[in-house]
């Protein structure tokens, strides 16, 4: 449970051979009842927009979608960086990043996307991530050394989380690809962004992770229920 009274219901799993028999519902009800018992005021979890089992459990138990973050991906060699002004871009500390997020539109509530998860902004502590900003956007670079709970990138991947003006986010991504990635080690770059930035970021060469633009994009969905 986070210090703000939010119970984070992570990692529900049912053996494949026993799925679709009602076990997931009972399991989630148990977690909700336990959260109420220990004094949580809200329950949350996140899931992929393509995890239909998990989304249908959320609906059944009265969770509502609170926010979503779109996911795009590219092989590092297929990215075509756009132009940016180096003098506009600066690296900042974890603490400074927290202050800048407060000036950005991160959607309802204070949860911040950290790749395949969300974290309350005050809990954002990660000495191994890199943050960069220009005047209109902020970017977090997460790699295998970063503290991204509960999942993190594989050794050959980085995750880039951006908030802010779409054109400014695409400049920050371009700077990061040019200056902050070791191309000997990293092959895959995943970007987590707001829907408004999708067009700009696709222009850099990023695609839906399925590599098929006809399919629905993947998003990391945060669901919430008042207890
Ligand atoms: C998500 C999960 C826990 C659901 O468990 P479950 O025991 O199969 O769920 P239930 O039998 O209680 O089903 C609840 C609802 O989900 C639906 N559902 C379950 N799996 C589904 C699937 N793969 N696709 C579509 N709907 C699904 C059921 O049909 C039911 O809805 P309905 O009554 O409207 O038809 C299970 O599929 C699982 O372990 N998945 C892999 C791990 C995972 O993704 N966990 C969630 C992490 S966020």
């Amino acid at each position: 449970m986070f210090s703000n009274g939010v119970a984070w219901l992570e990692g529900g799993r049912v053996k494949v051979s026993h799925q679709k028999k009602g076990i997931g519902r009972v399991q989630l009800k148990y977690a909700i009842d336990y959260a109420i018992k220990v004094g949580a005021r809200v329950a949350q979890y996140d899931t992929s927009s393509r995890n239909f089992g998990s989304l249908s459990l959320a609906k059944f138990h009265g969770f509502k979608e609170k926010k979503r973050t779109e996911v795009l991906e590219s092989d590092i060699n297929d990215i075509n960086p756009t132009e940016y002004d180096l003098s506009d871009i600066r690296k900042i500390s974890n603490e400074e990043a927290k202050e800048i997020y407060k000036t950005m539109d991160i959607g309802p509530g204070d949860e911040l996307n950290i790749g395949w998860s969300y974290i309350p902004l005050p809990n954002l502590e990660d000495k191994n991530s890199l943050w960069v900003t220009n005047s209109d956007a902020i970017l977090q670079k997460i790699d295998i050394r970063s503290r991204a709970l509960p999942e993190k990138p594989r050794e050959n991947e980085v995750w880039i989380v951006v908030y802010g003006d779409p054109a400014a986010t695409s400049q920050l991504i371009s700077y990061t690809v040019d200056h902050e990635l070791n191309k000997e080690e990293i092959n895959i770059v995943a970007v987590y962004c707001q829907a408004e930035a999708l067009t700009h970021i696709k222009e850099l060469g990023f695609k839906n992770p399925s590599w098929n633009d006809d399919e629905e994009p993947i998003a990391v969905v945060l669901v919430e229920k008042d207890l």
Side-chain angles (χ1 to χ4, degrees), residues 10-15 18-27 45-48 51-54 56-57:
E10 184 66 50
R13 295 272 182 284
V14 173
K15 201 173 171 183
H18 290 68
Q19 286 180 8
K20 297 199 183 178
K21 293 177 180 164
I23 298 170
R25 281 183 179 172
V26 175
Q27 189 182 46
Y45 66 90
D46 61 42
T47 186
S48 159
N51 190 335
F52 302 111
S54 187
S56 116
L57 279 184

